Amino acid sequence: MRKRIVALATVLMLIVSISLVSYAATKLNMSVFENADDITVKYDDISKVTTICSTSLSKGEGHVPLDYSYDHVSVYPRILAIGSTSEYTWNVDYFAKNWMFIDEMFVKVGNNVYTFTNFITSRYVSSDATIQEHLAFSITNDSLVFMQDLIEHRDEKIKVRLRGDADYVDFFLPDNVKDGMINVYNLYSMAGGTDPDNMKHVTATEDAKFSIDAN
């Protein structure tokens, strides 16, 4: 009887181990980012997080002026890696005189309109009383099709709409923003970020919602 119990326990431990291994995320191959054009890699020894971004876009070269004298938008990619997990994120900063309380983002690529909601948001007030709204979301298994579509239509106009409680703004992604977003994503993919195990982890932990309206 004891031998049967021990044998059963061993089988259960093996099943659990196999389950954990199959769910383990893929660690990024950091050598992919070494000497890559327009890439900055930073490691925080307190949070243990490595941040990888487009050097030019993180410095504000992707700013998009809006219809008003001050208002503008900045769009940039960021890879966050800690331990064996990593995620590729879209980041948007909206600078203006008044709050919009952005809760939806639409991106029109070709004939498809992609909608992102329930993303991470934060808000800041500058010393001159101007405001900044920040939003961010990770690309998951569901939204990989969005990145693939963006790559295929990179030479076309890509329209973005940010919508809040009672207002919205429209703009087109400049070529340097499209190039920067795609460059960082391609490097992320080459480094193993889009491998199934890692994407399974990202998809399971990302709160942002994604949908497609295909015309």
Side-chain angles (χ1 to χ4, degrees):
M1 180 68 176
R2 183 180 178 184
K3 290 183 179 179
R4 290 180 60 189
I5 294 175
V6 171
L8 179 59
T10 302
V11 170
L12 289 174
M13 289 178 64
L14 181 60
I15 292 173
V16 171
S17 297
I18 292 173
S19 177
L20 291 175
V21 169
S22 65
Y23 193 72
T26 304
K27 190 170 184 177
L28 282 184
N29 178 5
M30 297 303 296
S31 66
V32 170
F33 304 99
E34 295 177 2
N35 303 315
D37 291 339
D38 195 37
I39 293 295
T40 296
V41 179
K42 294 182 179 179
Y43 174 70
D44 188 322
D45 59 358
I46 300 297
S47 65
K48 310 297 183 185
V49 175
T50 298
T51 304
I52 304 165
C53 61
S54 163
T55 306
S56 58
L57 296 185
S58 65
K59 290 181 178 179
E61 294 182 21
H63 280 189
V64 183
L66 300 175
D67 293 337
Y68 305 98
S69 59
Y70 174 84
D71 297 3
H72 63 280
V73 174
S74 182
V75 182
Y76 52 96
R78 182 179 290 157
I79 297 171
L80 302 175
I82 180 169
S84 61
T85 62
S86 62
E87 55 188 35
Y88 168 89
T89 67
W90 274 62
N91 298 262
V92 180
D93 290 329
Y94 170 68
F95 301 89
K97 292 289 186 181
N98 300 300
W99 298 110
M100 189 161 57
F101 298 102
I102 300 165
D103 55 13
E104 291 180 296
M105 175 174 167
F106 306 87
V107 186
K108 187 175 187 298
V109 185
N111 292 323
N112 298 322
V113 176
Y114 299 93
T115 303
F116 297 88
T117 58
N118 201 45
F119 34 66
I120 295 174
T121 59
S122 53
R123 301 178 181 89
Y124 311 91
V125 180
S126 302
S127 57
D128 61 354
T130 56
I131 61 91
Q132 174 187 352
E133 296 187 40
H134 173 80
L135 65 91
F137 56 85
S138 299
I139 294 300
T140 65
N141 274 329
D142 297 329
S143 52
L144 280 174
V145 62
F146 162 67
M147 289 303 303
Q148 293 163 358
D149 209 8
L150 178 64
I151 292 170
E152 292 176 6
H153 292 83
R154 67 187 302 167
D155 294 326
E156 303 173 16
K157 285 189 174 182
I158 306 298
K159 186 176 182 179
V160 179
R161 172 170 294 175
L162 303 176
R163 187 161 69 186
D165 286 348
D167 202 1
Y168 68 87
V169 293
D170 290 341
F171 60 93
F172 291 96
L173 292 181
D175 287 343
N176 66 322
V177 172
K178 289 185 286 185
D179 290 344
M181 300 300 292
I182 292 170
N183 179 48
V184 174
Y185 175 78
N186 284 340
L187 292 172
Y188 176 68
S189 181
M190 290 170 58
T194 55
D195 286 1
D197 287 338
N198 189 65
M199 291 307 298
K200 183 177 181 180
H201 173 80
V202 174
T203 303
T205 57
E206 174 60 40
D207 292 329
K209 305 301 181 184
F210 167 81
S211 61
I212 308 172
D213 181 8
N215 295 327

